[in-house]
Every structure is written in C-alpha cells, then in structure tokens.
Amino acid sequence: MIYIIMGVSGCGKSSLGALLSEKLGWPLHEGDDFHPQGNIEKMARGEPLTDQDRLPWLLKLHEVIERERRSGSDALVACSALKRLYRQILLYGSKALAFSSGPDQDILPPTYPDVFFIFLHGDYNLIQQRMVARRGHYMKADMLRSQFDDLEPPSDEENVLPLDIRRSITDMAVEVEKHAISLKSSPVP
C-alpha cells in the first residue's frame, strides 16, 4: 500500500510523513528531495514553478511509487500533488500526459486500489503563519498564494483520505493508522 501525503507547502506533509514512517515502519520518500536543483533555486527566489518545471520531478516520484508498488512494499510519499494531472502523473507517468490532452482523457482510472492520497487541507492564514515560523526551508511564505491558486482538491474517486490540519499531527497519524489497518483487514477487490 502506498500513501501519498499531499497538500500545499506548509500544511505538514513532512511532519506527518515522518511520524507515520516511525509508527508504521514504512519508508518515507520526501518529495522535496527529488526536485532538480533548478526548481529549488527558482522557489528560493520566490518564483512559482510551472507545470513544465514540475514534470521531471513528478516523473521521478512516479518511478519511486512504481518501484514500491512492484515490490509489494508499503511506503509513504510526501508530495504537494496540487493538480489532478500531477496526481495522474504520479500514478501513470508519461501515459497521463498523453491522455490528459486527448479526447480519451477519462480512460485512465482515477487511482490504483493500493494507492491512497492523504489530503492535508487547511485555512490559508493558518498555513501562512506556519510557513512564516519555519526555518531552513527554501519555500517562502509569500509563495503560498500560488500553491492555493493551483490546488485542485482530490475527489472521492481518487482514493482520498482528507485530514484537517487543525488537528494535531498525532491525531492525524492515528486516523491514517486506523485507515491502513482497515484496508489491510479487508482485501481489495
């Protein structure tokens, strides 16, 4: 089973991922670690990434997800996955690009039965306060608006577990653990 922890910058993806990795014993693949240096430099200058900038990064994360799925491993991936197309690229790689622009764009299923998106959502002001307070991250608080502008919240058909970030990280981790246990005890059709 793969959980992709998603949401805008500053919502707590890395914190939740680290706690879940420790509690579940699953590896955490931190999306920020897969950005090309050019993307990091661009964000550090306060420039929002374009779809073109994100493509190589998303394709690298797709490879990680595919490797984990093929090996039958459980894993966590922290990635903003702001747009539906980005989530499709994470799942289907370059195939998603071919289908997204053609008349058959609905042929790809919304997700795999063993992949779930944990959508960390919250109020702009709360997340901005968190971003202003954090230190040592290249993504600055003034970039948050562009993330909210790009955000396309996932639909139920995308196997999404929405979590309100006003809850504590511990409470959210407990809910994810319960979700994982319920899925492991009831086989996927």
Side-chain angles (χ1 to χ4, degrees), residues 6 26 29 41 55 60 72-73 80 98 108 113 148 162 170 173 185 187:
M6 63 161 290
W26 297 4
H29 303 281
E41 291 167 3
L55 184 59
K60 282 183 192 175
S73 299
S80 54
L108 293 175
F148 268 88
T170 304
S185 64

Side-chain angles (χ1 to χ4, degrees), residues 2-187:
I2 310 292
Y3 278 114
I4 301 170
I5 306 167
M6 63 161 290
V8 298
S9 186
C11 69
K13 297 181 296 289
S14 298
S15 298
L16 179 61
L19 181 58
L20 286 170
S21 179
E22 182 182 313
K23 288 170 108 12
L24 299 172
W26 297 4
L28 170 63
H29 303 281
E30 176 57 63
D32 287 345
D33 296 341
F34 293 84
H35 270 297
Q37 188 60 35
N39 284 5
I40 293 169
E41 291 167 3
K42 190 171 184 177
M43 288 183 282
R45 289 191 305 266
E47 297 174 37
L49 296 179
T50 65
D51 288 352
Q52 209 50 41
D53 294 328
R54 287 185 178 104
L55 184 59
W57 170 64
L58 292 166
L59 289 171
K60 282 183 192 175
L61 287 170
H62 164 72
E63 291 170 10
V64 169
I65 292 165
E66 271 304 292
R67 185 179 66 237
E68 294 288 5
R69 285 187 72 238
R70 279 195 302 272
S71 72
S73 299
D74 295 318
L76 302 158
V77 176
C79 171
S80 54
L82 298 174
K83 295 181 180 181
R84 182 179 174 100
L85 175 60
Y86 301 168
R87 295 187 292 275
Q88 291 282 291
I89 293 168
L90 290 172
L91 297 171
Y92 301 104
S94 55
K95 277 193 254 177
L97 296 170
F99 284 106
S100 71
S101 58
D104 301 326
Q105 63 189 36
D106 292 330
I107 287 180
L108 293 175
T111 192
Y112 289 118
D114 59 340
V115 177
F116 291 84
F117 290 95
I118 299 171
F119 175 39
L120 302 184
H121 61 89
D123 173 73
Y124 177 87
N125 292 328
L126 172 62
I127 296 172
Q128 185 186 39
Q129 289 169 5
R130 287 182 179 185
M131 289 182 76
V132 167
R134 75 180 178 180
R135 300 284 173 249
H137 196 281
Y138 55 81
M139 185 72 151
K140 305 299 181 231
D142 56 357
M143 298 273 300
L144 184 59
R145 178 50 57 201
S146 69
Q147 294 248 310
F148 268 88
D149 290 346
D150 282 347
L151 180 62
E152 296 171 3
S155 64
D156 289 341
E157 69 178 2
E158 291 181 83
N159 284 352
V160 63
L161 176 62
L163 296 175
D164 188 323
I165 64 163
R166 290 176 296 183
R167 297 171 62 188
S168 73
I169 292 287
T170 304
D171 284 350
M172 290 190 290
V174 167
E175 186 165 338
V176 174
E177 284 181 285
K178 287 178 184 174
H179 186 260
I181 289 166
S182 74
L183 291 170
K184 295 239 181 210
S185 64
S186 62

